[in-house]
Each structure stands twice: as structure tokens, then as C-alpha cells.
Amino acid sequence: MPLAALLDVVLEDPALRRALEAPTAPRLDLTGPDGLRPFAVAALVRQGRTVLAVTATGREAEDLVEALGSLLDPDRVALYPSWETLPHERLSPRADTVGRRLAVLRRLAHPSSDDPATGPLDVVVAPVRSVLQPQVPGLGDLEPVALRKGDDVDGGLDAAVRRLVDISYARVELVEKRGEFAVRGGILDVFPPTEEHPVRVEWWGDTVEDVRSFKVADQRSLGEVEHGLWAPPCRELLLTPEVRERAKRLGERHPELLDITDRIADGQPVEGMEALAPVLVDDLRLLVDELPRTSTVLVLDPEKVRTRAHDLVATSQEFLEASWATAASGGQAPLDLGAAAYRTLVDVREHAGAIGLPWWSLSPFTSDEDLDDDTVVLAARRPEQYRGETGRAVQDVRSLVADGWRVVLTSPGHGPAERMVEVLREAEVPARLVDDVAADPGVSVTTSCLETGFRSELLRTLVLTETDLTGTRGVGSKDVSKRMPSKRKNAVDPVQLKAGDVVVHEQHGVGRYVEMVQRTVQGATREYLILEYAPSKRGQPGDRVFVPTDQLDLVTRYVGGEAPTLDRLGGSDWAKRKGRARKAVREIAAGLIQLYSARMAAPGHAFGADTPWQRELEDAFPYVETPDQLEAINEVKADMEKPQPMDRVVMGDVGYGKTEIAVR
């Protein structure tokens, strides 16, 4: 927490101190620059409050989480992401999004004392979209599948498999994406939606013998997972007996929905089934309902949040009026799904007040007519934006230091921070690079993820970030998402399909796309992809399958090299084709095992580990490494330090940093 001491300085502001003397005040509007956002949140945490920080967008929420890591324990700050879909779209949110949401709700309802990653939370950062959306009640009470090395599990592997199925994990032959699991003998592979890599659990009888992470690309182990497997559910609407029974009764009352309700009643997850939550469960709740009663809601840039909330509510209403349920019955909606629509921001604020949660805001500006007893103006303003004018920035810093100010410069990367120190020293401005900023006057340079700083005449303090100095956003190691794609890369886009394109249906095999049509069946109008297969009898036209557009996840593009023959519906062609592919994969795997065994036995030169001179060279590079670069660097170095010959190729487009990797 490099900026913890700077929080003590900010708390010297008399206006902020007065505001914090009554942390349970039902309404308070703070006015201060954007750079004070993380400090205002951290100040409320200091008062013993749990904070729900509301931002206008998901990107702002991610930035705030990173910035708070410089002021608070990062393990006690979490992002509550929003769905990528609207409540009434016939699309389900991604498994990793659902898993991260449910992990936060679990930590709010039942924090763990064993692992900081699942322990109590001080701050939940959420985009306004998450705050407006009603959700199924009791999500925080859903128990994840938790397995640690040495655990004795009643029922063993079979019990763990049943539990994963109950919380909507899909069983596959080979784990490739989040929300999947596979079983091979006494080995259980699971890809939790909250993890960067899947986890492999090895069993000995009913005892967990080992828990290790592994790579999706080659299925090779990466190392032991200290905290074990922690797998939250992958869906927010679980197919409990009560939900399945309600779906069955719903289908009886509304035959036009049987294609969905029958599958839910049979216990099969359906794409977009979350839209039916209002009629399958009772009493949807809001995020504010899940917070401890010692919480405070802090809305950041309320005008921007208000505008975003208005747009979301309007869009949600449009989708509700033109939803798939309405279209399925010729314009007369058979179901009232309004309970799942976004609430207005006013409704959420009133509901928070009704349950006793204070509703505060931090705005970058306030007009004179808005000033009242509930408005507190903080003694800080936005700093000067230098936009790369280094000489002017150095001159201003020199003048402030001479007047006894404390100046803090921050950068996301260690290399740029070192260069800041060099530039200041060359200009005869004493500066030091520190891990933790002190409250003393002078110039301190450190690494943090603050996006912008602030200037306070009263506190005689200036905070400048790399963005303030250069006009461009600093690149941190977390800027590039490490999440695996949740959908297959060769999934079809019906808009881009052309007549005659070869596709593969998961159940029927290789076919040819004909066209997309609209048909009305039992009063429901839907769009279908027509796929043509080989004729069942010679001389007859090819058989056809009508695939509803809500089942596009079952269809992928054919990626083989040669032009394939079409499979016959109901025949054994597809099963034989898959069998031949599995046999070929096993043969290739056996050959690779022999090849790698020979390579591992060959002698090579083991290079030494990094030296201080190596680290000094790396810190001098002008850019912070991306996650992909870091992964390549670490893997190449690890191979070079082994006594076996390295066999690796580093590939990348022009300008993507291959030379930097090679030099390192």
C-alpha cells in the first residue's frame, strides 16, 4: 500500500474530517477532483464502513479497483461486474462474469477466515449497471465446491462431480473454457470462472491427494494451488427442483414456451433462461440488499452515473417491449417479466435509504445553486495537465518544493518511475524512489495505478500521475485482460454465413448451410438456420435440419483442410468421424510423449538466474510489459535455466515487442 501515508494527509482536510464525523449521515454530497475518488473510499473504510463505490462504466470500476490497491489491502477490495447482456435478451451472461459476481456475494454473506482471497470485503466497486439490475435472491448462500489437498470427502470424486453439475458446470472430455469440468480416472479437471488457469484435482480413494493448476493449451501442470479448488456456481439461476417444477407448470400454461420450459424442467441449462427468472423464482433483490448494514453507498461522478442509468433503463424497457416472449405470441406478452428490468437510480436510492444505507456522492464540480447543508467542498482541485511538457513540470515541482510542499509522482511501471527520478535529479531537484510514500515534505516517486492526481493549497500537497505528466494513460500489467474467451473462436455468425458454407453441428455432424428463414410454429415466430445433410437414400434430395438461432452455440464453422463429405442424419457417419479424430489425437499424443522424453534426456547448458545487472537493464526499458510479454519472458527464462536444451519459438506481429523479449 504505497500511498497509505498520503491518505493520512488527505484526512487533514477539515471539510473531510467534518463529513467523516457522521459516517452514517443518510445523504452527503462531496465535491472534489477525480483524483480524490480512491482517497474518499479509503477514508470511509477507515471509519469502519463497508463501501459500495458506484461508477458510470465498467472500465472506471476496474480502474478504481486498481487504484485502491495503493491505499488498502487489495484482497479486501473486489469488483462486482455487470452482465454483458440486458435482462430481457435471450442470451446468458458469460460464466466468468457470473462466477466473479457470485464470489463477491459469497464473501459478503459468508466470508472465509482461512483464505484472504475469499475473506471479508471492505470495498465493493460496481458499475451502475450492476446496481440497477435485480438479481435472484440467496446467491450469496450458494456454496462453492471447495477442495484442498488432504481433504477427505464424503462420497469422494462422484460427490464432487454431482455438486459441480448441480451448480451448472458442463461436463466435457477436455477442459477448454470456464465453467467446464472433465473426469479421467481419478483426476478431476475444473475451470472455475474466477481463476486464470484451470485446476487439476488428483484423488486417492475419497482423499484429495494433490491440487495443481494447468495450462489449457497443452494441459501441462503449472504448480500446486495453495488455496486449493474454489469453484463458485456458473449461473445465477440454478435448476433446483422448485425451479424445474415451476418451468414445467409454466410450459403447461404457455405452450409457445415449451421449447425452453421443457428443457429447464428436464434439468438442462438453456441459453437465455435467466430472462425467465421473475416467473421461476420469487422476490428479486438488488445489490444494496446484499450489503452489510454498516455499509455506505458512494456514487462517483453522480451526473455521469445518472445519465448512464437513464440510458440503461430506457434501453431495458425497449428490449422488454420487443422481447422474445412478446414476439413469441404475436405481440401480446404472455408473461410479465418487468421485475427483471433495470430499476431507476431514484428507486435504488430510495430503497437504500429504506433499509438504512447512507447514500453519498463525490462530484468533480458543484454549481452555486446546488450548495446546501448536505454539500461538502473538499480543499483540492485537479492538477495541471502538462501533456509531455517535462521542463514546465520540473520547474513547477522545483518551486513547490522550495515552498515546503510535498510532491508525489506516480507511475504504473517501475522503469518509468525510475526515469522520473533521473529527470528530476538532472534538474537538481532532490527526489527519491520509494516503495511507500512518507508524509514528509519533498519529492517522492512511487509506483501505483492512480489514473490522475490532485493539488491542494490547504494541505500543501501535489500528486501527479503519468497521465497528468504525459497526457497518455500509463500502461500497467493489469490493463490487458488475461481472461480466456468464453465462446469458441470458430463459432458461426449467421450474418456472415454464405450459402454453401460447410458447418459442423455438435449432434448431427458436418452439413452445408443453405439459408436463414423465419417460421411460425404453434404461434411462435422464430428464425432458423437451414443445414443440409447427405440424403438418407440415393437419388433423393439431401435431408435438412432447422436450427433455431438461440441454439447457435451448437454450430461451428468447419476448419478442416479438405472439402469434407456430408454426414447422414441418424446414421453412424458422425460417430465414426469423431472416433477417428479421437484415435488420431491419441496417436499424436503418444508421439509427442516419445519426442519430449528424448528431448528431456538430451544434455544442455543451464544458464544462471537473473542478476542485479539484468534487472537494471529490464527496468530501463520505456514500456511496461504486457501480460503476454511477461508470460513469454518468464517461460523462456525458465527453460534457459534448465539443464535440457530449450525448444521454443517466440512469435508476434510487427511492433508487438519480440525484440524486447529477446534482449531480456
Side-chain angles (χ1 to χ4, degrees):
M1 297 181 287
L3 301 180
L6 197 57
L7 176 59
D8 296 327
V9 174
V10 173
L11 288 172
E12 294 175 5
D13 183 347
L16 182 58
R17 281 207 308 269
R18 286 196 304 272
L20 295 175
E21 288 174 357
T24 59
R27 177 174 175 261
L28 192 66
D29 299 321
L30 303 173
T31 300
D34 291 344
L36 283 183
R37 289 181 179 184
F39 295 93
V41 173
L44 278 169
V45 173
R46 283 273 189 97
Q47 298 301 112
R49 307 293 294 179
T50 300
V51 181
L52 171 62
V54 183
T55 63
T57 65
R59 181 56 187 268
E60 289 182 3
E62 294 172 358
D63 291 343
L64 181 59
V65 169
E66 291 189 21
L68 286 170
S70 302
L71 294 164
L72 301 170
D73 183 354
D75 287 331
R76 299 177 71 96
V77 180
L79 172 68
Y80 190 76
S82 61
W83 286 10
E84 306 83 12
T85 62
L86 291 169
H88 308 296
E89 283 188 282
R90 184 117 180 238
L91 294 170
S92 295
R94 293 183 354 178
D96 60 325
T97 300
V98 172
R100 292 161 66 199
R101 286 164 59 94
L102 296 186
V104 171
L105 296 177
R106 180 69 182 178
R107 295 177 67 180
L108 289 172
H110 303 283
S112 168
S113 57
D114 300 331
D115 183 4
T118 57
L121 290 170
D122 291 331
V123 183
V124 176
V125 184
V128 67
R129 186 170 183 168
S130 296
V131 177
L132 302 180
Q133 182 174 359
Q135 56 196 29
V136 175
L139 294 178
D141 297 327
L142 299 177
E143 293 189 13
V145 174
L147 300 171
R148 286 176 177 263
K149 184 177 180 179
D151 284 353
D152 290 320
V153 180
D154 187 17
L157 175 59
D158 291 340
V161 168
R162 287 194 298 271
R163 179 65 184 135
L164 288 169
V165 172
D166 289 342
I167 58 176
S168 294
Y169 281 74
R171 184 166 182 170
V172 295
E173 293 185 0
L174 193 69
V175 169
E176 294 180 327
K177 58 185 179 180
R178 287 178 171 83
E180 294 180 341
F181 76 94
V183 180
R184 297 187 308 281
I187 296 178
L188 172 65
D189 290 347
V190 186
F191 202 158
T194 54
E195 296 290 342
E196 180 183 349
H197 296 289
V199 176
R200 178 163 292 152
V201 183
E202 298 183 15
W203 297 76
W204 181 260
D206 291 347
T207 303
V208 176
E209 192 175 45
D210 196 14
V211 182
R212 307 176 69 85
S213 61
F214 66 93
K215 295 189 69 172
V216 170
D218 55 16
Q219 301 287 304
R220 297 173 68 180
S221 294
L222 295 172
E224 187 172 339
V225 181
E226 294 183 2
H227 62 269
L229 171 67
W230 197 83
C234 292
R235 286 186 180 268
E236 296 186 22
L237 179 63
L238 297 185
L239 301 182
T240 62
E242 181 182 359
V243 169
R244 294 169 61 180
E245 179 60 28
R246 285 195 175 193
K248 182 179 179 181
R249 295 200 301 266
L250 181 65
E252 294 171 352
R253 295 195 303 270
H254 301 283
E256 66 274 10
L257 301 177
L258 281 175
D259 61 314
I260 303 174
T261 56
D262 280 355
R263 294 170 64 187
I264 296 177
D266 290 339
Q268 302 176 33
V270 181
E271 179 73 12
M273 68 181 186
E274 289 80 4
L276 289 175
V279 293
L280 297 180
V281 298
D282 294 324
D283 303 325
L284 299 185
R285 294 161 61 89
L286 295 170
L287 175 58
V288 293
D289 292 314
E290 311 297 336
L291 298 173
R293 290 301 169 256
T294 56
S295 301
T296 297
V297 180
L298 180 62
V299 180
L300 303 173
D301 200 341
E303 186 59 38
K304 191 174 179 181
V305 169
R306 192 178 301 116
T307 301
R308 176 64 175 158
H310 178 271
D311 293 343
L312 286 169
V313 171
T315 304
S316 174
Q317 185 61 30
E318 290 176 5
F319 265 80
L320 177 60
E321 293 172 355
S323 65
W324 55 267
T326 306
S329 57
Q332 299 297 320
L335 303 173
D336 181 11
L337 301 179
Y342 291 130
R343 302 290 189 267
T344 66
L345 193 62
V346 173
D347 289 341
V348 176
R349 184 177 63 192
E350 292 178 351
H351 182 68
I355 60 178
L357 296 184
W359 188 278
W360 290 19
S361 66
L362 175 60
S363 175
F365 53 85
T366 300
S367 60
D368 293 339
E369 56 268 22
D370 291 335
L371 294 174
D372 54 32
D373 294 338
D374 294 325
T375 302
V376 175
V377 181
L378 304 180
R381 59 184 176 86
R382 188 183 182 191
E384 182 76 18
Q385 302 299 293
Y386 293 98
R387 294 180 174 83
E389 298 181 31
T390 306
R392 186 162 63 92
V394 170
Q395 182 60 40
D396 289 348
V397 170
R398 180 189 290 112
S399 300
L400 293 175
V401 171
D403 289 341
W405 279 50
R406 65 177 64 82
V407 178
V408 178
L409 306 179
T410 75
S411 170
H414 186 76
E418 278 197 334
R419 284 190 296 281
M420 288 181 183
V421 174
E422 292 174 2
V423 170
L424 290 169
R425 287 177 177 173
E426 289 173 359
E428 299 182 350
V429 178
R432 60 192 185 278
L433 181 62
V434 297
D435 294 329
D436 298 304
V437 172
D440 303 328
V443 181
S444 299
V445 182
T446 190
T447 55
S448 80
C449 291
L450 289 185
E451 184 178 357
T452 185
F454 64 88
R455 176 187 177 117
S456 174
E457 306 286 342
L458 177 66
L459 303 176
R460 300 178 69 78
T461 299
L462 173 66
V463 178
L464 292 175
T465 68
E466 189 173 338
T467 303
D468 299 325
L469 292 168
T470 65
T472 58
R473 181 184 178 87
V475 180
S477 61
K478 295 183 180 180
D479 281 351
V480 181
S481 174
K482 297 181 181 180
R483 293 197 295 268
M484 293 287 294
S486 63
K487 303 293 183 184
R488 288 170 289 184
K489 291 184 179 179
N490 59 332
V492 298
D493 181 352
V495 177
Q496 297 181 355
L497 279 177
K498 299 177 182 178
D501 285 352
V502 181
V503 297
V504 180
H505 191 282
E506 190 173 297
Q507 298 172 356
H508 305 304
V510 179
R512 182 180 291 109
Y513 172 72
V514 179
E515 62 178 338
M516 186 164 63
V517 298
Q518 201 174 65
R519 297 186 66 183
T520 301
V521 180
Q522 294 183 343
T525 302
R526 304 169 65 186
E527 290 184 327
Y528 295 84
L529 267 65
I530 300 180
L531 305 184
E532 186 176 73
Y533 287 85
S536 55
K537 295 182 180 180
R538 287 186 180 180
Q540 298 293 324
D543 294 335
R544 293 189 172 188
V545 171
F546 288 74
V547 181
T549 52
D550 65 292
Q551 296 181 14
L552 284 178
D553 58 319
L554 300 177
V555 183
T556 57
R557 286 185 176 275
Y558 178 78
V559 294
E562 71 285 351
T565 58
L566 302 185
D567 292 324
R568 284 197 301 269
L569 293 178
S572 59
D573 295 355
W574 178 230
K576 290 179 179 178
R577 195 192 297 263
K578 289 192 292 185
R580 290 194 298 269
R582 292 193 186 98
K583 182 180 179 181
V585 169
R586 285 195 292 268
E587 292 174 353
I588 293 173
L592 287 174
I593 291 173
Q594 293 177 358
L595 175 61
Y596 275 94
S597 297
R599 286 178 176 171
M600 294 297 289
H605 175 74
F607 290 87
D610 287 355
T611 64
W613 295 277
Q614 167 82 9
R615 288 190 288 272
E616 184 177 344
L617 169 70
E618 294 184 359
D619 289 340
F621 276 75
Y623 301 108
V624 178
E625 304 91 335
T626 67
D628 287 338
Q629 286 178 323
L630 282 174
E631 185 177 9
I633 292 167
N634 294 333
E635 290 181 355
V636 171
K637 285 182 177 179
D639 281 358
M640 292 178 68
E641 293 170 10
K642 294 177 181 177
Q644 293 82 27
M646 180 177 70
D647 182 26
R648 187 179 290 274
V649 177
V650 177
M651 296 183 296
D653 289 339
V654 174
Y656 273 62
K658 297 186 297 297
T659 305
E660 292 197 359
I661 293 174
V663 172
R664 285 175 168 91

